[in-house]
Amino acid sequence: MDGDGVARTMWELGEPVHDLVYFSPEAREAADGLGMRGFWMGYFALRAAPLGPVPAPVVTGAFYVFHPARVAGALPDAWGYADPAAVVAARERAMDAALTRVYGAERVASADLTEAADLAWRAAEAADTAGRVLGAANQALDRPALPHVRLWQALTTLREHRGDGHIAVLVAHGVGPVAAMVLKVAAGESDADLLRLGRKWDADAWGTAVEELRDRGWLDADGRLTAPGAAARARIEAETDAAAARPWRTLGTDATARLADLLAPLARTVLDTGLIPSGNPVGLTDGVWAGRPAPSPSAVSDRTWQKVSRTRPPAPRETPVPPAAPGG
């Protein structure tokens, strides 16, 4: 590994472990146990909790690709069921349970996993979080005592640090939330319906973004990347990698390579469980992700959203709920 490609490789290796907070049954059970109403309220609460009891517009801005209505269906109501500090604690317990189940008690107690956790934590501490709200909020959390939970939190901090940088690059290139998803689909990394319906954008908004990208010469008439479009997307990804490189430069070449060696089998184990569905919105297809089923037009109707989008009836809006305490 060398250059800014290190940042991309480390993201590819860390993402499967992080993704357990979205797709493991333990995460859903934790959200349900807090009183969250359905998958999406749990998703936004578990991911946004480090920010404190923020309102929907803040999370819409920070997460970037979700329609405001998708976020407003979950926040701020979630903070009435559980304050952010309680949500952070619950997600740590959920990741403890999920990682222990996936890896086994012996593996989570191993010297290799502890070494991976400590190396990842050092990298996360080195993340430059100025202007990166999700990365900074996660970096500010206390160091978990359990090594496997510490590993998860460190990888989450690094993942959100990278995501914050990616959003900054998209904004600098004039690529809005829907256009960013259209580019991912055009690159063959994800399915249009999976992204559009999951993030709650209507067909008109999607069509408008497609036309904007065609006007820029980035898409052809069939919605595929043109040569200028492919070059523009490559620049966006390269700039994202460069913006995410500092933790790995600080950790150093040898320590980063060692962490990569330790993470590869951990990532493979998670992917082999089948918990992360094909066509998932992250859209990773290289490295440890290679060989997984490609996104398909049927993805939105398969177990991805059938399984995770089941909801309990929402609490009536007029139901009094206790005020959320600051924290997280």
Side-chain angles (χ1 to χ4, degrees), residues 183-271:
L183 284 176
K184 185 172 284 291
V185 171
E189 294 178 351
S190 199
D191 174 70
D193 283 344
L194 180 71
L195 294 183
R196 183 178 68 79
L197 298 179
R199 276 75 182 270
K200 207 177 175 66
W201 295 96
D202 62 28
D204 287 344
W206 191 271
T208 297
V210 169
E211 289 304 315
E212 289 174 352
L213 292 172
R214 282 180 181 150
D215 290 344
R216 296 179 74 168
W218 290 10
L219 296 183
D220 65 18
D222 296 320
R224 294 187 295 256
L225 288 174
T226 61
R233 189 169 188 277
R235 285 193 299 274
I236 289 169
E237 295 302 312
E239 289 172 20
T240 298
D241 293 340
R246 182 181 291 183
W248 311 114
R249 287 198 302 267
T250 303
L251 187 61
T253 301
D254 291 345
T256 298
R258 173 60 177 162
L259 178 56
D261 288 343
L262 293 167
L263 285 178
L266 297 175
R268 185 73 264 163
T269 296
V270 173
L271 292 173

Side-chain angles (χ1 to χ4, degrees), residues 97-115:
L99 291 162
T100 300
R101 176 178 58 81
V102 169
Y103 295 135
E106 182 176 348
R107 196 171 180 189
V108 299
S110 68
D112 278 357
L113 195 140
T114 298
E115 183 184 2

